[in-house]
């Protein structure tokens, strides 16, 4: 009896240890968000301290969602007194450094777009038992005034209770704070008690410091309420008609936002895509938005609708005044919209320009604009996007503003953005969410009230260097014009002259700023971080250079990007031209990249390096026009079935397996590693949907599916979900899940198995290995043979070669260079070149 009791207790104890090992993940014991906003320029530092209280190594994760408009300026990890800083480099140099690391089997991709306002920074690092790690991320942004207020957005999602949680927001606005409010998507009565706000004429301090008990969803469960947006909104006081000038250390910033001025009448044409791809939810949301926008038209406005698929339909032959009767008639049209057919964007826009050209009886001082909404590429009429851009720019000829809204991710955002910026407007992506109609209405509200046009901000030419953009086509009520530059040392007074047209007259506004007096305003202010106006100037200049580069010729584009790159490196900004190289602590110095994603990164690129494989159409290569040159367009496939890096060779291999032979494939066996991996191809999906990983010691089987992960050990099963990050350790074998991303299986002194989860367009899994130098010479299998018995028949490093000879296990294969998406990366928008080989198991 005693032996049975002892045995039962031993089993029970083992189960307790196993459960504790599975559940015990690193604890965030401190999370501090410190944000200082000085004169609209926000400097945010997020510090997370994590401790591993387990008795073995664990993966610690640092995940931050930051505004898309922000530039990361610094990142570091501190582990056991050792600091691992992120180094910002020119993008190509950083990529080369990363490529070298990837050839040794390491992964990358620290930043990705998560929604229309945010992008996510994510890094994980292994920390030893009883060790601590401190992550620190710094980013900066210039708050943009929209609809009469500035908005500071802080995403809060610690995913666990945090002993020391704190958000500090300090605001200093020398003009004076007109109003200040906070908002949150997760606030409760208990959490409200943790929020304090102190404010005077020019300063404010917002502190959010909930206790652990206040963070809990309920007293019984250790689940956190902190999951959502923490938002601070405010506006400043405005008195001077010519705006407000602020000066620090020889750099100035000029804010101009006139108020209470008459609104220009609008002549607006809505150009609406009703092609087949708009069917269903998109056309319904478009109809909802248009019906509300119609109600917001002012009586003095004139409007018209043009709808298009492969045919262009003008609602009326001319612009109509926004009378109650005409608005009701237009609403009736909107409710009959149906979606089918192709997409003639060019024909629709040229028709809109034609209606404006022949319009009669419009107010003498009025603003004419075209608003295009489309969800796809041009498939009817003129299809060459560069020809369309050129023709539209010639037709508009600077007389009208063109705003382009791209609905969803099938559009070419670059095409729309260039067309809008070339014609005095902006582009905006409408995300396919439940609030798409609200996004459309919100955009319209931003452009609904033009109060100035042809604005020129004039400063003394010989006394200002590096002046940012100082002429603007339109100014909308509730927004703000910002100009910045460097003042020469000799200048005591900075004169400013603003010229603009209002609805009733031509305006000339003058202001003069005393340089020393203005500098004095910011002396000894604890809210000021460094040379903030100089950094504001650099931030604004980089943004404007990149925006200007979109709509100019290639030679000018390179010059503008070179200037932007120089500033990005000088001021340590992660921009689309730079990358941050993050080195992780390990024997092999693993490296990862933090790139700045752009809105266009959500789509397939339209051109690739020479040396690709070309898509054949009607027996001849597909071609695209680029500045008068005819170029073949390389074939870009989707994700490969399997992707691997050849050991000791900086070459990628894409494997495609003939699924007609069998659905289950023996991929890899290594008797010395005690590891076997098999995979299963999906029905109707030409990718793997299941991987089975078997270890001899410890005897553990891991079954990875697209819906979950199953760990089997000693006839006990443990399920892990893709829906949240989790980890499990059995006798040194670690299984770690990154939420909706990947699962990593590692055992000391063996190769690491990593499987990526890809959700679009079909759910599938992508397999790869890290530390591949640990494979023995006995490794075999469809995939395994490449790690011991693969060698190119030539030593060519020619990047333009399209075919090579590859020897594998005594057989020779002719391989072709293709461009594939890399499922190892978080953002797989940029294709990678690889040598493609088809195998039959």
């Amino acid at each position: 009896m005693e032996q049975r009791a002892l045995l039962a207790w031993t089993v029970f104890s083992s189960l307790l240890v196993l459960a504790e090992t599975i559940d015990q993940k690193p604890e965030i014991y401190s999370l501090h968000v410190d944000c200082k906003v000085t004169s609209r320029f926000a400097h945010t530092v997020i510090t997370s301290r994590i401790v591993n209280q387990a008795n073995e190594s664990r993966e610690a994760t640092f995940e931050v969602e930051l505004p898309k408009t922000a530039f990361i300026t610094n990142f570091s990890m501190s582990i056991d007194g050792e600091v691992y800083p992120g180094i910002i480099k020119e993008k190509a140099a950083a990529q080369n450094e990363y490529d070298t690391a990837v050839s040794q089997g390491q992964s990358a991709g620290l930043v990705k777009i998560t929604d229309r306002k945010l992008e996510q920074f994510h890094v994980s690092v292994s920390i030893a038992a009883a060790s601590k790690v401190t992550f620190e991320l710094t980013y900066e942004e210039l708050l943009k005034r929209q609809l009469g207020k500035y908005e500071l957005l802080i995403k809060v999602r610690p995913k666990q209770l945090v002993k020391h949680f704190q958000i500090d927001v300090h605001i200093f606005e020398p003009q004076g704070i007109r109003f200040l409010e906070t908002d949150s998507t997760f606030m409760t009565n208990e959490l409200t008690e943790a929020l304090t706000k102190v404010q005077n004429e020019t300063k404010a301090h917002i502190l959010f410091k909930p206790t652990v008990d206040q963070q809990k969803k309920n007293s019984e469960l250790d689940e956190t309420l902190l999951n959502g947006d923490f938002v601070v909104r405010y506006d400043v006081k405005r008195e001077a008609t010519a705006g407000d000038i602020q000066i620090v250390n020889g750099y100035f910033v000029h804010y101009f936002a006139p108020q209470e001025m008459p609104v220009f009448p609008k002549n607006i044409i809505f150009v609406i895509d009703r092609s087949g791809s708009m069917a269903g939810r998109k056309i319904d949301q478009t109809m909802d938005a248009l019906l509300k926008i119609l109600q917001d038209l002012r009586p003095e406005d004139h409007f018209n609708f043009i709808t298009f698929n492969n045919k262009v339909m003008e609602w009326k032959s001319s612009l109509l005044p926004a009378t109650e009767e005409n608005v009701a008639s237009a609403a009736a049209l909107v409710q009959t919209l149906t979606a089918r057919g192709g997409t003639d964007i060019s024909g629709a826009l040229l028709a809109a320009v034609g209606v404006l050209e022949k319009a009669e009886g419009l107010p003498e001082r009025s603003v004419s604009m075209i608003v295009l909404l489309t969800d796809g590429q041009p498939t009817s009429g003129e299809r060459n996007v560069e020809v369309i851009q050129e023709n539209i720019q010639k037709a508009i000829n600077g007389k009208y503003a063109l705003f382009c809204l791209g609905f969803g991710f099938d559009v070419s955002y670059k095409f729309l953005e260039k067309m809008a910026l070339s014609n005095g407007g902006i582009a905006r992506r409408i995300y396919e969410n439940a609030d798409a109609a609200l996004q459309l209405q919100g955009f319209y509200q931003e452009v609904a009230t033009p109060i100035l046009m042809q604005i020129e901000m004039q400063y003394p030419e010989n006394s200002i260097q590096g002046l940012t953009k100082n002429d603007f086509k339109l100014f909308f009520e509730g927004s703000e014009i910002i100009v910045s530059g460097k003042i020469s040392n000799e200048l005591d007074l900075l004169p400013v002259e603003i010229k603009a047209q209002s609805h009733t007259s031509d305006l000339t506004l003058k202001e003069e700023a005393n340089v020393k007096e203005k500098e004095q305003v910011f002396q000894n202010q604890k809210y000021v971080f460094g040379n903030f106006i100089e950094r504001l100037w650099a931030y604004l200049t980089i943004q404007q250079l990149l925006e200007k580069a979109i709509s100019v010729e290639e030679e000018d584009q390179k010059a503008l990007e070179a200037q932007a790159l120089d500033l990005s490196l000088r001021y340590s900004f992660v921009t689309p031209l730079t990358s941050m190289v993050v080195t992780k602590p390990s024997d092999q110095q693993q490296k990862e990249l933090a790139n700045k994603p752009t809105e266009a990164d959500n789509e397939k690129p339209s051109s690739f390096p020479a040396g690709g494989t070309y898509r054949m159409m009607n027996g001849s290569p597909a071609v695209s026009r680029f500045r008068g040159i005819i170029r073949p367009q390389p074939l870009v496939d989707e994700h490969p079935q399997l992707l691997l890096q050849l050991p000791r060779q900086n070459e990628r291999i894409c494997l495609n397996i003939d699924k007609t032979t069998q659905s289950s494939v023996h991929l890899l066996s290594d008797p010395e590693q005690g590891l076997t991996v098999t995979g299963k191809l999906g029905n109707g999906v030409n990718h793997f949907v299941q991987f089975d990983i078997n270890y001899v010691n410890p005897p553990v089987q891991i079954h990875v599916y697209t819906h979950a992960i199953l760990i089997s050990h000693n006839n006990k099963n443990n399920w892990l979900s893709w829906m949240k990050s989790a980890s499990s350790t059995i006798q040194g074998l670690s299984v770690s899940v990154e939420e909706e991303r990947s699962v990593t299986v590692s055992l000391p002194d063996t190769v690491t198995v990593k499987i990526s989860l890809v959700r679009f367009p079909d759910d599938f899994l992508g397999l790869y290995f890290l530390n591949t130098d640990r494979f023995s010479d006995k490794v075999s299998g469809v995939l395994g043979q490449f790690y011991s018995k693969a060698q190119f028949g030539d030593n060519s490093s020619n990047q333009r070669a399209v075919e090579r000879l590859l020897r594998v296990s005594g057989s020779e294969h002719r391989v072709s260079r293709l461009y594939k998406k890399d499922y190892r990366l978080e953002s797989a928008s940029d294709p990678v070149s690889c040598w493609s080989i088809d195998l039959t198991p």
Side-chain angles (χ1 to χ4, degrees):
M1 179 68 76
E2 288 180 2
Q3 287 182 333
R4 286 183 183 176
L6 180 61
L7 179 60
W9 171 248
T10 303
V11 172
F12 180 64
S13 300
S14 300
L15 288 172
L16 278 176
V17 171
L18 180 60
E20 183 180 335
T21 304
I22 290 171
D23 294 333
Q24 195 171 20
K25 58 185 178 182
E27 173 195 348
I28 304 172
Y29 66 90
S30 173
L31 182 58
H32 187 201
V33 180
D34 184 33
C35 182
K36 291 180 172 62
V37 183
T38 306
S39 193
R40 286 72 143 179
F41 197 59
H43 174 93
T44 302
V45 181
I46 299 178
T47 307
S48 176
R49 293 181 171 86
I50 299 176
V51 61
N52 176 17
Q53 295 180 333
N55 56 9
E56 54 192 357
S57 295
R58 285 282 187 273
E59 195 90 345
T61 298
F62 178 67
E63 190 172 274
V64 172
E65 289 183 273
L66 60 147
K68 283 182 183 177
T69 51
F71 289 157
I72 291 171
T73 65
N74 192 31
F75 171 73
S76 67
M77 295 181 290
S78 178
I79 304 173
D80 295 332
E82 187 81 23
V83 178
Y84 300 85
I87 307 298
I88 296 175
K89 298 186 176 185
E90 188 268 329
K91 200 167 190 176
Q95 187 67 46
N96 287 338
E97 188 171 332
Y98 162 69
D99 284 343
T100 302
V102 164
S103 69
Q104 299 169 8
Q106 288 135 29
S107 60
L110 298 180
V111 185
K112 68 174 185 179
I113 291 176
T114 53
D115 71 10
R116 65 180 181 273
K117 288 185 178 181
L118 298 166
E119 59 195 30
Q120 184 187 79
F121 179 92
H122 177 106
V123 66
S124 297
V125 63
S126 179
I127 54 174
S131 288
K132 296 178 181 179
V133 57
T134 298
F135 296 102
E136 185 173 282
L137 178 74
T138 304
Y139 61 85
E140 294 176 347
E141 62 175 321
L142 180 58
L143 301 182
K144 184 179 180 182
R145 189 170 185 253
Q146 288 181 306
L147 302 175
K149 53 183 171 263
Y150 307 98
E151 180 177 287
L152 177 73
L153 172 61
I154 298 170
K155 193 73 173 181
V156 179
R157 200 155 72 102
K159 298 183 181 178
Q160 60 176 263
L161 300 174
V162 180
K163 186 175 181 181
H164 302 289
F165 181 94
Q166 185 169 331
I167 295 176
D168 278 292
V169 178
H170 295 271
I171 299 173
F172 175 47
E173 289 289 352
Q175 287 175 257
I177 298 172
R178 187 175 68 82
F179 85 90
L180 175 71
E181 65 182 22
T182 59
D183 192 12
S184 170
T185 57
F186 55 79
M187 200 63 71
T188 62
N189 290 335
E190 289 78 12
L191 286 174
T192 303
E193 295 174 5
L195 179 67
T196 58
K197 184 170 66 174
V198 179
Q199 178 183 348
N200 63 22
E201 184 72 16
T202 59
K203 296 178 182 177
H205 177 211
I206 295 155
L207 173 64
F208 180 56
K209 192 176 180 180
T211 65
V212 170
D213 286 340
Q214 287 172 325
Q215 295 172 42
K216 288 183 178 180
K217 283 187 177 180
N218 62 57
S219 57
E220 314 251 323
L221 297 174
D222 287 343
E223 292 184 14
T224 180
L225 284 164
L226 305 184
N227 185 3
D229 299 340
F230 185 84
V231 183
V232 178
R233 298 186 187 92
Y234 74 95
D235 197 17
V236 301
K237 296 177 180 177
R238 291 177 176 81
E239 295 175 0
T241 55
D244 186 70
I245 297 171
Q246 298 172 13
I247 302 172
V248 172
N249 295 337
Y251 284 82
F252 82 92
V253 60
H254 183 189
Y255 298 107
F256 180 55
Q259 302 177 100
E260 299 176 1
M261 301 191 72
V263 177
F264 278 105
K266 296 188 300 298
N267 313 310
I268 185 167
I269 299 182
F270 299 97
V271 181
I272 307 300
D273 185 345
R274 56 181 176 87
S275 61
S277 57
M278 285 285 290
R281 188 185 191 190
K282 288 183 190 174
I283 200 72
D284 291 341
Q285 290 176 321
T286 300
M287 287 162 56
D288 290 343
L290 290 175
L291 290 172
K292 291 182 174 65
I293 288 170
L294 282 170
Q295 299 304 316
D296 290 336
L297 290 172
R298 296 168 179 262
E300 61 270 23
D301 292 338
H302 288 69
F303 75 106
N304 199 349
F305 277 99
I306 291 177
T307 63
F308 69 96
N309 46 27
N310 50 302
K311 295 181 180 179
V312 177
M313 303 288 291
E314 295 179 18
W315 173 51
K316 301 292 181 183
S317 58
S318 62
L319 288 158
L320 296 183
T323 63
E324 192 174 329
E325 182 182 355
N326 288 336
V327 167
S329 177
L333 164 80
V334 167
Q335 293 178 73
T336 65
L337 287 178
T338 57
R340 58 178 172 271
T343 311
D344 186 1
I345 294 175
S346 177
L349 286 176
L350 290 174
V353 175
V355 171
L356 287 171
E357 289 285 291
K358 65 185 181 184
E360 297 177 352
L362 300 179
E364 185 178 344
R365 281 182 180 258
S366 57
V367 172
S368 296
M369 60 178 71
I370 299 168
V371 177
L372 168 69
L373 172 66
T374 182
D375 77 329
Q377 313 269 0
T379 61
S380 300
E382 178 58 63
R383 302 181 190 184
N384 187 303
V385 294
E386 290 175 351
V387 172
I388 294 172
Q389 288 165 342
E390 186 178 343
N391 290 345
I392 299 304
Q393 190 170 357
K394 283 180 181 177
I396 289 178
N397 196 25
K399 292 177 286 188
Y400 320 120
L402 172 62
F403 299 93
C404 297
L405 305 179
F407 206 143
F409 293 92
D410 293 326
V411 296
S412 170
Y413 190 81
K414 284 184 178 179
F415 162 54
L416 297 181
E417 187 176 38
K418 181 174 181 178
M419 199 157 53
L421 292 174
S422 301
N423 294 286
I426 59 172
R428 182 78 55 83
R429 189 189 299 282
I430 304 299
Y431 280 66
E432 292 183 59
N433 298 334
D435 69 342
L438 292 175
Q439 294 177 54
L440 289 166
Q441 292 168 55
F443 170 80
Y444 174 75
Q445 288 171 1
E446 289 178 43
V447 301
T449 52
I451 58 175
L452 289 178
M453 60 191 299
Q454 308 304 336
I455 307 107
E456 293 182 20
M457 315 278 283
Q458 298 177 354
Y459 308 86
E461 287 184 20
N462 299 328
S463 303
I464 302 296
Q465 299 173 359
L467 189 66
T468 61
K469 182 179 178 180
N470 66 325
D471 61 292
F472 304 87
K473 190 180 182 75
L474 291 170
F475 176 80
F476 299 98
E477 189 175 56
S479 62
E480 184 172 57
I481 287 174
I482 304 176
V483 181
S484 186
K486 185 177 183 182
I487 306 169
S488 68
N489 295 330
E490 300 79 29
L491 203 64
D492 295 323
L493 295 174
L494 175 61
V496 178
E497 183 172 284
I498 302 172
K499 293 185 176 181
Q501 296 176 18
S502 75
H503 177 40
T504 54
S505 63
D506 291 346
L507 298 177
T508 299
L509 306 171
K510 295 185 178 181
E511 183 70 55
E512 199 171 59
N514 184 300
V515 174
K516 287 185 179 178
E517 287 180 7
K518 290 288 184 180
E519 290 245 18
Q520 197 65 33
V521 173
F522 291 95
Q523 295 300 317
N524 304 319
Q525 294 291 344
K526 69 175 182 178
Y527 293 89
V528 178
F529 48 93
N531 300 328
F532 87 93
I533 292 184
E534 182 178 352
R535 294 191 66 78
L536 183 157
W537 165 81
Y539 172 100
L540 191 60
T541 302
I542 291 167
Q543 284 204 327
Q544 292 178 355
L545 287 169
L546 293 174
E547 186 176 282
K548 190 175 180 181
I550 292 169
S551 56
V552 298
E553 294 297 314
E554 187 175 11
E555 197 170 312
D556 295 331
Q557 180 182 345
K558 288 180 180 177
L560 293 168
E561 288 181 348
Q563 293 177 55
L565 173 61
D566 178 63
L567 287 173
S568 301
L569 294 172
R570 198 190 320 167
Y571 289 93
S572 295
F573 286 132
V574 178
T575 71
L577 302 175
T578 57
S579 297
M580 179 182 284
V581 180
V582 176
T583 303
K584 290 185 176 184
S586 71
D587 294 339
Q588 292 149 342
Q589 293 289 289
Q590 291 186 5
K591 297 182 186 297
E592 299 199 71
L593 286 187
N595 293 322
K596 175 73 176 174
T598 66
E599 195 59 66
D601 287 340
N602 287 305
E603 300 152 11
K604 299 174 187 175
S606 57
S607 60
F608 304 99
T613 303
Y614 304 114
R615 187 188 306 276
M616 303 297 289
M617 293 184 179
N618 301 323
S620 61
V623 296
S624 62
R625 290 183 187 275
F626 186 71
R627 313 202 189 286
I629 303 171
I630 303 296
R631 291 183 177 173
Q633 198 167 20
L635 169 64
V636 181
D637 286 342
E638 297 301 318
H639 296 87
Q641 287 180 350
L642 295 167
L643 187 68
L644 69 120
Q645 203 90 20
L646 286 184
R648 297 171 295 279
Q649 300 178 56
N650 192 22
E651 299 286 2
R652 297 185 194 90
I653 301 293
C654 293
L655 287 181
N656 301 294
I657 295 170
D658 181 6
K659 63 179 292 185
T660 58
T661 55
Q662 58 193 83
S663 63
S664 184
V665 183
H666 175 74
L667 295 172
L668 181 143
S669 288
D670 190 337
E672 293 191 11
Q673 294 273 302
L675 173 66
T676 302
V677 181
T678 58
K680 185 177 181 181
L681 291 161
N683 294 322
V685 180
N686 193 29
H687 287 96
F688 285 92
V689 294
Q690 178 182 337
F691 288 110
D692 299 311
I693 308 163
N694 293 283
Y695 284 88
V696 174
N697 186 22
V700 177
Q701 299 81 45
I702 300 111
H703 309 279
V704 182
Y705 309 94
T706 55
H707 61 278
I709 300 98
L710 173 63
I711 304 170
S712 299
H713 173 59
N714 289 344
N715 297 319
K716 296 182 180 67
N717 292 332
N718 176 39
W719 286 94
L720 298 180
S721 170
W722 283 110
M723 300 302 289
K724 64 178 182 179
S725 297
S727 63
S728 172
T729 302
I730 302 171
Q731 298 177 26
L733 178 67
S734 171
V735 181
S736 178
V737 179
E738 288 187 59
E739 177 186 337
E740 287 290 318
R741 252 194 222 134
S742 64
V743 58
T744 304
V745 184
S746 60
L747 187 65
D749 302 321
T750 67
V751 296
T752 296
V753 185
K754 195 149 185 173
I755 295 170
S756 294
L757 173 67
V758 182
R759 288 292 194 199
F760 183 83
D762 298 299
D763 291 0
F764 70 89
L765 302 170
L767 170 73
Y768 58 108
F769 297 93
L770 308 181
N771 309 317
T772 56
D773 56 319
R774 295 174 179 171
F775 277 125
S776 73
D777 292 338
K778 298 178 182 178
V779 63
S780 62
V782 173
L783 184 60
Q785 62 184 329
F786 286 86
Y787 289 107
S788 63
K789 306 175 181 68
Q791 189 68 42
F792 279 101
D794 57 64
N795 295 317
S796 172
S797 58
N798 181 6
Q799 296 299 311
R800 295 178 178 269
V802 295
E803 284 195 348
R804 292 179 74 180
L805 193 67
L806 181 66
R807 297 190 181 95
V808 186
S809 299
S811 300
E812 291 188 345
H813 302 268
R814 181 66 61 181
V815 295
S816 303
R817 187 193 293 275
L818 292 181
Y819 289 86
K820 299 274 190 178
K821 288 186 176 181
D822 191 341
Y823 55 64
R824 300 173 302 176
L825 306 183
E826 289 180 17
S827 174
S829 56
D830 291 332
V832 295
S833 97
C834 63
W835 297 103
S836 181
I837 179 171
D838 297 322
L839 292 177
T840 301

